[in-house]
């Protein structure tokens, strides 16, 4: 890669990082971010519902106090690294500086990718690592040093420790390569070494899952059977169009066609088709394969750059992509006020004739705001109400009263915001909170947040609603939630705990 090409890649990375650093830290902490922070403060090689990297990074950002800005710098950095890898891949595919610029603008304006770079989550590392793996494999296929397989193994191992979908990506990439005439590169000691490196990095988490009876598999089964909405193959493809960008999705389709026609890069096209097929068959959510799109956007940008040579038309294409992206920026960066966002969402849906339910992945997930934005609301208010209720209890009763929540979002909010208000650690049966157990509480008195109603399970003699939690911008299932005071335990919390497990 020449100096000018490298300068374009670094400049694009800096611009994307700064844009995210400015646009990311608004509204409030996302439900999952709070959970990641608390998980990270319980360091482990794994958790019920995720590998360890995102939680550890999230917790590390909060070591010196609460800071949404510091937290959101993490995904901003991955977004910057992702656009850098995308530009380098465009160059490796034969693109000039204009192709890199177009690929960078498309990356920055692709809704689902912008969303991954907005909040801390398992998908953020894939922005960088998936196109990086594609770049290294392309070098090997084109006769590069086979020792690049070690780099592939390192990237794959780190990606696995961030999100398990790496397994499907890796299978798709290797099978895609095996289907081409370049399969000979798989018959190499360096390929075996790369696989060994990836396995070595993944092994601690796999062992943790095995020791804990593979809770992730139970969680996936429960989600598939009880929680997730399963899209038909046709709807799944339409969802891919919507989550990338309704106006310039042809760019990644052009990229898919381009790599399928390129002898050296054909394995990338096969890999995308295989990955999509696996996601459709297994009922994966629409965004699960989304970290693949930087690869196709890079290829599409190279193809367009080869077709268009006049500077004026090149400028028109880049400008059109940027404008199309700006229309959807408020759906992936929290830059509008709540009132303005709610109104803008309605206007855009009406203009496009597309209801947000088309992109709904889970049953019962509704809100006035887009779901990600709704899940950034109500947490400090919830904790303040719980604290007010808890602190009204007589001191003799308060010290032995546990706080039980219906889900990890509520529990993590209490653990994050609660210490400053005098609250003890929260209890919950949801995901990793169940593994952490009931601690030393005997459960004689319990403040129950969210309406589980232990009285119905005959665990307590009474459960009296003492307050309600509400926030108009929160998710529907977090609005008008009761706080109940449970008294008269008929069994200890330790005896009750096995019945409370909820992996979903």
């Amino acid at each position: 890669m020449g100096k000018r090409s490298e300068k374009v890649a670094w400049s694009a990375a800096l611009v994307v990082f700064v844009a995210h650093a400015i646009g990311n830290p608004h509204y409030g902490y996302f439900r999952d971010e709070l959970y990641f922070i608390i998980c990270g403060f319980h360091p482990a090689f794994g958790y019920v519902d995720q590998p360890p990297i995102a939680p550890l990074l999230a917790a590390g950002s909060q070591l010196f106090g609460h800071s949404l800005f510091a937290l959101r710098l993490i995904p901003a950095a991955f977004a910057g690294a992702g656009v850098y890898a995308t530009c380098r891949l465009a160059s490796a595919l034969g693109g000039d500086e204009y192709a890199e610029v177009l690929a960078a603008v498309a990356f920055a304006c692709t809704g689902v990718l912008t969303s991954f770079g907005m909040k801390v989550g398992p998908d953020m590392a894939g922005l960088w690592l998936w196109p990086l793996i594609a770049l290294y494999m392309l070098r090997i296929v084109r006769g590069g040093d086979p020792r690049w397989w070690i780099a592939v193994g390192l990237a794959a191992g780190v990606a696995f420790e961030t999100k398990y979908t790496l397994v499907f990506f890796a299978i798709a990439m290797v099978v895609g390569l095996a289907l081409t005439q370049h399969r000979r590169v798989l018959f190499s000691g360096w390929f075996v070494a790369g696989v060994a490196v990836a396995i070595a990095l993944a092994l601690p988490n796999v062992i943790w899952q095995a020791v804990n009876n593979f809770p992730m598999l139970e969680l996936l089964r429960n989600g598939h059977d009880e929680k997730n909405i399963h899209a038909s193959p046709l709807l799944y493809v339409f969802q891919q169009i919507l989550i990338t960008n309704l106006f310039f999705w042809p760019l990644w389709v052009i990229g898919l066609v381009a790599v399928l026609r390129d002898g050296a890069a054909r394995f990338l096209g096969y890999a995308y088709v295989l990955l999509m097929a696996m996601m459709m068959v297994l009922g994966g959510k629409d965004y699960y394969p989304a970290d693949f799109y930087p690869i196709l956007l890079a290829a599409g940008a190279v193809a367009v750059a080869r077709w268009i040579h006049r500077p004026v038309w090149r400028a028109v294409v880049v400008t059109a992509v940027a404008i199309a992206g700006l229309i959807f920026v408020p759906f992936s960066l929290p830059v509008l006020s709540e009132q303005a966002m709610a109104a803008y969402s309605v206007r855009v849906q009406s203009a496009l004739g597309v209801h947000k339910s088309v992109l709904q992945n889970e049953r019962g997930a509704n809100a006035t705001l887009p779901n990600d934005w709704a899940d950034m609301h109500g947490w400090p208010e919830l904790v303040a109400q719980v604290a007010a209720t808890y602190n009204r209890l007589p001191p003799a009763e308060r010290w032995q009263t546990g706080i039980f929540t219906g889900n990890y979002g509520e529990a993590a909010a209490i653990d994050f915001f609660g210490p400053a208000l005098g609250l003890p650690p929260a209890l919950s049966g949801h995901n990793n909170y169940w593994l952490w157990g009931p601690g030393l509480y005997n459960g004689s008195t319990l403040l129950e947040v969210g309406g589980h109603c232990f009285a119905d399970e005959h665990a307590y003699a009474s459960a009296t609603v003492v307050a309600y939690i509400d926030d108009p911008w929160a998710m529907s299932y977090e609005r008008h939630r009761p706080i109940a005071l449970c008294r008269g335990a008929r069994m200890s919390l330790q005896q009750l705990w096995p019945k409370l497990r909820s992996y979903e």
Side-chain angles (χ1 to χ4, degrees), residues 13 53 97 111 123 133 153 197 207 220 281 291 353 403 409 415 420 424 426 496:
I53 287 182
E97 287 81 5
D123 299 286
I133 290 170
V197 168
I207 292 173
L220 290 173
V281 170
D291 280 323
I403 302 173
D415 283 347
L496 184 61

Side-chain angles (χ1 to χ4, degrees), residues 30-338:
F30 184 62
R31 170 196 302 270
D32 290 1
E33 289 176 323
L34 292 170
Y35 179 52
F36 295 151
I37 291 168
I38 301 306
C39 283
F41 283 133
H42 294 77
F45 285 118
Y47 302 93
V48 166
D49 44 1
Q50 63 201 298
I53 287 182
L56 294 175
L57 290 176
S61 74
Q62 306 298 294
L63 287 175
F64 302 104
H66 294 184
S67 174
L68 186 62
F69 178 76
L71 180 74
R72 298 274 171 84
L73 283 180
I74 298 170
F78 279 115
V83 79
Y84 178 81
T86 301
C87 288
R88 295 203 64 179
L89 182 58
S91 179
L93 288 167
D96 57 11
E97 287 81 5
Y98 172 74
E100 289 187 73
V101 170
L102 180 56
V105 173
F107 180 106
C109 295
T110 296
V112 66
L113 303 182
T114 307
S115 179
F116 288 172
M118 182 276 298
K119 62 185 183 297
V120 170
D123 299 286
M124 62 186 180
L127 291 172
W128 169 47
L129 294 171
W130 286 27
L132 194 65
I133 290 170
L135 173 63
Y136 292 157
M137 290 182 67
L138 185 62
R139 288 177 178 174
I140 296 168
V141 167
R142 287 183 169 169
D145 193 329
R147 286 177 291 185
W148 279 112
W149 280 121
I150 300 297
V152 172
L154 284 169
V158 173
F160 177 88
E161 293 288 10
T162 307
K163 188 164 184 176
Y164 298 124
T165 48
L166 181 279
V167 172
F168 301 102
F169 174 70
I171 291 172
M173 292 289 274
V174 172
V175 173
L177 189 52
L179 292 174
T180 72
Q181 62 182 352
H182 300 287
R183 65 183 68 89
R184 64 183 183 280
V185 300
L186 298 173
F187 300 96
S188 161
W190 289 110
F191 171 73
V192 175
V195 171
V197 168
I199 291 174
L201 289 172
L203 193 58
N205 179 259
V206 174
I207 292 173
W208 185 94
Q209 285 281 333
V211 168
N212 290 279
N213 298 314
F214 291 101
M216 187 66 190
L217 296 180
E218 180 180 340
L219 180 144
L220 290 173
R221 283 195 301 270
N222 292 340
H224 182 276
D225 296 341
E226 302 171 11
K227 181 179 178 182
N228 298 339
I229 296 174
H230 306 296
S232 67
L234 184 61
L235 177 58
Y236 198 80
V237 171
F238 183 55
Q239 288 174 336
Q240 301 308 299
I241 292 172
L242 291 180
I243 67 173
T244 48
N245 190 297
L246 189 60
F247 295 133
F248 66 78
W249 59 268
L251 184 62
W252 64 259
V253 173
I254 290 170
L256 176 60
V257 174
V259 293
L260 286 171
R261 296 179 64 183
D262 183 332
R266 186 170 295 137
F267 74 95
L268 296 173
Y270 290 162
Y272 175 76
V273 174
L274 289 167
L275 180 63
M276 287 290 288
M278 285 188 282
M279 293 296 102
M280 291 177 185
V281 170
L282 296 174
K285 295 181 180 180
D286 54 27
Y287 59 86
Y288 282 2
D291 280 323
F292 204 103
Y293 287 109
I295 300 169
L296 300 184
L297 290 172
V302 172
V304 170
R306 288 172 178 165
W307 298 339
I308 303 174
H309 301 285
R310 294 184 62 182
V312 63
W313 286 112
R314 285 187 162 196
V316 167
V317 170
V318 169
T319 303
V321 169
I323 292 173
L326 287 173
I327 293 173
F328 296 101
V329 160
F331 292 94
S332 48
L333 286 180
V335 294
L336 297 181
S337 69
E338 287 84 353

Side-chain angles (χ1 to χ4, degrees), residues 284-477:
K285 295 181 180 180
D286 54 27
Y287 59 86
Y288 282 2
D291 280 323
F292 204 103
Y293 287 109
I295 300 169
L296 300 184
L297 290 172
V302 172
V304 170
R306 288 172 178 165
W307 298 339
I308 303 174
H309 301 285
R310 294 184 62 182
V312 63
W313 286 112
R314 285 187 162 196
V316 167
V317 170
V318 169
T319 303
V321 169
I323 292 173
L326 287 173
I327 293 173
F328 296 101
V329 160
F331 292 94
S332 48
L333 286 180
V335 294
L336 297 181
S337 69
E338 287 84 353
Q339 293 84 354
M341 184 65 234
Y344 187 74
S345 178
V346 171
R347 286 200 299 271
V348 170
Q349 291 175 48
S350 177
L352 298 178
V354 177
H355 193 269
K356 67 178 181 179
S357 61
V358 173
L359 292 175
Q360 190 168 325
N361 290 303
E362 297 179 359
R363 299 182 179 96
N366 297 298
T368 303
L369 296 173
N371 289 352
D372 279 1
W373 300 162
D375 251 340
M376 294 178 184
H377 289 80
W379 303 118
E381 294 78 8
L382 178 150
V383 178
Q385 182 64 69
V386 171
T389 304
Y390 179 80
N391 290 322
R392 282 197 299 267
L393 295 174
E397 184 178 36
R398 188 189 315 153
W399 73 269
Q400 62 181 355
T401 299
I403 302 173
F404 186 91
T405 75
N407 60 62
Y408 65 65
E410 296 161 352
I414 290 169
D415 283 347
F416 188 69
F417 296 111
L421 301 176
L423 293 181
L427 306 172
S428 180
H430 196 197
N431 292 2
N432 226 82
Y433 270 93
W434 184 83
L435 273 187
W436 292 329
L440 299 177
Y441 290 108
N442 61 18
S444 59
T445 307
L446 210 63
L447 264 187
E448 194 281 315
V449 180
H452 185 280
C453 197
F454 283 107
D456 291 346
E457 297 186 5
H458 308 291
Y460 288 86
S462 67
T464 305
V465 174
V466 293
Y468 282 93
I469 309 158
D470 211 349
D471 185 289
W473 302 115
M475 291 295 291
S476 57
Y477 47 75

